[in-house]
Amino acid sequence: MPLIQSIEVCSVAVPLDRVTSFSNRTVTHRHYGLVKVHSADGQTGIGFCYVGSSAGGLFTAAVEQLLALVLLGQDSHAVEGLWARMYQEALLQGRAGTVMRAISALDTALWDLNARSAGLPLHRYLGAYELESVPAYASGGYYLDGKTPAMLGEEMASYVAMGFKAVKMKTGRLSPAAEEERLRAARDAVGPDVELMLDCNNGWADVTQALQYMRRFERYDPYFIEEPFSPDDVDSHARLAKLTRVPVATGEIGYGRWHHQELLGKQGAAILQTDAAVCGGITEWRRIAAMAAGHGAVMCPHWFHDLHAPLVAATPNARYVEFFWDDQVLNFRRLVDRQLQHRGGRVVLHQDPGLGFRFDEQAVGKLASWTRVDGSAA
Ligand SMILES: [Mg+2]
């Protein structure tokens, strides 16, 4: 029986090779929270999340002090029950932020552990819609010092040359005119038939400011405008969605099903980018995806393609995996021992049990050390 015997946890700060900017923030390091859940019969499931550009120690504290003790000694198949118990245990500290991300990582590790125990790749264990590969878009178009619109266009065209039929770029950092110039360069470079997505990373304060940009952007036929406002400002998302013909996408830092229910109910997003490593794990992500299906909304989950490829494969109303072809932005890629491959604009699914990869212990060990929680001190 897969009783949970011990849990290992660490947080890892991985430096970016090059300082990289979004609409309103600049990143030099990325902190990731990692967990390994070991069962008494010798299986190990892994889970992980992004915890921001600082303070990764909050993650390890949440696992060590709050959540691990809920799981130790329990049957890993009781995923729904363990989710409810973790959520209840962290009701005062959690529900959002780093504690919910810690719940997400542990929940992911339970699914991975159980799929490995069953000898099935995660997408088949969940009940696959796609068996071999899933559609993906190439994510990039960041702001770097000295990067011109022409260079942005070359970058976007390079993804199309790799076979991607959909590409994404950042927006919202510069003036409306300067952003229009970047978008025009990208559209000219990829041609009219490629789906071109825009990510604003919470860059705009209100609908008036957003419209100054969107009025210029619409003629370039963006596939969606992502995260125009702060995630909690659901009403502004809904108002913008009514005022522009470009679909609104958001949800990557949305926590729990109730936030997403509000977004859907107010028609604040046609596309949910819910991140299973943020929202409450695979368990909560699937609840949200099912709710979105009832609203005619589609799922395009946020980064961590290693985690989201199997979820997209098991979800009929999922449209795309966000794919990072190198390790410059999603430098989590440096912490795992196996990379997903892409072909013809699709990500090829791992067919080994569970997530199909493990942490690269040498890479992790250079940056952090694991702490083991086994309940013996309790
Ligand atoms: Mg985004």
Side-chain angles (χ1 to χ4, degrees):
M1 200 159 74
L3 287 182
I4 299 165
Q5 188 170 57
S6 66
I7 293 169
E8 288 182 88
V9 58
C10 71
S11 64
V12 185
V14 186
L16 291 180
D17 290 342
R18 201 167 167 193
V19 174
T20 301
S21 294
F22 306 66
S23 60
N24 56 6
R25 58 182 180 265
T26 296
V27 175
T28 59
H29 286 75
R30 290 192 181 279
H31 290 231
Y32 299 100
L34 314 181
V35 292
K36 293 187 281 190
V37 174
H38 303 288
S39 69
D41 56 6
Q43 289 284 354
T44 297
I46 65 168
F48 46 86
C49 65
Y50 177 53
V51 287
S53 49
S54 61
L58 295 173
F59 173 85
T60 50
V63 173
E64 284 182 58
Q65 296 174 30
L66 268 174
L67 302 169
L69 298 176
V70 174
L71 302 183
L72 291 173
Q74 303 298 314
D75 187 324
S76 68
H77 285 142
V79 175
E80 291 281 357
L82 293 173
W83 193 98
R85 289 183 59 191
M86 286 194 288
Y87 184 81
Q88 181 63 32
E89 183 68 18
L91 203 59
L92 301 189
Q93 302 91 344
R95 311 211 306 277
T98 304
V99 176
M100 196 64 156
R101 290 176 191 239
I103 291 175
S104 303
L106 288 165
D107 178 82
T108 297
L110 293 180
W111 282 99
D112 181 44
L113 172 66
N114 292 335
R116 286 182 204 263
S117 297
L120 289 170
L122 184 59
H123 64 287
R124 290 174 189 249
Y125 183 72
L126 292 168
Y129 180 76
E130 299 272 12
L131 286 165
E132 305 300 332
S133 67
V134 288
Y137 70 84
S139 199
Y142 287 79
Y143 300 93
L144 303 171
D145 279 348
K147 186 172 175 180
T148 63
M151 292 159 73
L152 170 69
E154 286 166 20
E155 179 196 347
M156 293 291 119
S158 75
Y159 301 142
V160 177
M162 289 177 199
F164 291 99
K165 298 165 182 68
V167 298
K168 190 167 88 180
M169 58 178 276
K170 298 299 183 184
T171 194
R173 186 174 182 83
L174 310 176
S175 68
E179 290 296 356
E180 181 181 357
E181 193 185 344
R182 291 177 71 249
L183 176 55
R184 185 192 309 123
R187 176 52 85 194
D188 287 350
V190 301
D193 298 328
V194 168
E195 290 175 351
L196 177 55
M197 300 139 167
L198 295 173
D199 186 359
C200 190
N201 293 100
N202 329 111
W204 296 326
D206 51 50
V207 172
T208 306
Q209 184 185 18
L211 287 174
Q212 288 177 316
Y213 288 84
M214 295 310 300
R215 278 195 288 264
R216 290 173 177 267
F217 291 174
E218 286 180 355
R219 74 193 68 156
Y220 305 99
D221 192 26
Y223 182 72
F224 60 57
I225 177 69
E226 171 176 339
E227 280 203 307
F229 310 110
S230 177
D232 293 332
D233 187 1
V234 174
D235 287 344
S236 287
H237 287 83
R239 278 201 295 278
L240 181 64
K242 284 196 180 72
L243 292 167
T244 175
R245 61 175 183 261
V246 180
V248 173
T250 191
E252 70 176 61
I253 43 179
Y255 296 92
R257 76 199 80 139
W258 299 282
H259 170 76
H260 293 84
Q261 182 188 38
E262 185 186 1
L263 265 176
L264 294 167
K266 291 183 173 174
Q267 301 189 338
I271 295 152
L272 290 186
Q273 298 173 303
T274 313
D275 184 333
V278 172
C279 73
I282 293 171
T283 302
E284 190 74 353
W285 192 93
R286 296 182 90 202
R287 295 177 184 135
I288 293 164
M291 186 168 62
H295 287 261
V298 297
M299 306 299 289
C300 291
H302 166 239
W303 89 330
F304 277 135
H305 52 229
D306 306 282
L307 169 61
H308 290 127
L311 299 190
V312 166
T315 306
N317 62 316
R319 177 80 172 86
Y320 277 121
V321 171
E322 179 173 18
F323 187 76
F324 293 82
W325 79 277
D326 69 8
D327 66 0
Q328 292 302 297
V329 173
L330 182 58
N331 59 12
F332 175 77
R333 294 188 73 150
R334 298 176 194 170
L335 303 180
V336 300
D337 66 357
R338 189 176 175 209
Q339 305 299 328
L340 284 167
Q341 304 300 315
H342 66 89
R343 192 181 308 135
R346 297 177 70 88
V347 166
V348 181
L349 296 158
H350 293 320
Q351 299 297 340
D352 290 333
L355 286 164
F357 61 90
R358 294 191 182 278
F359 296 128
D360 178 337
E361 295 291 349
Q362 221 178 350
V364 173
K366 282 183 189 155
L367 297 166
S369 52
W370 294 96
T371 299
R372 184 181 288 265
V373 188
D374 59 11
S376 57

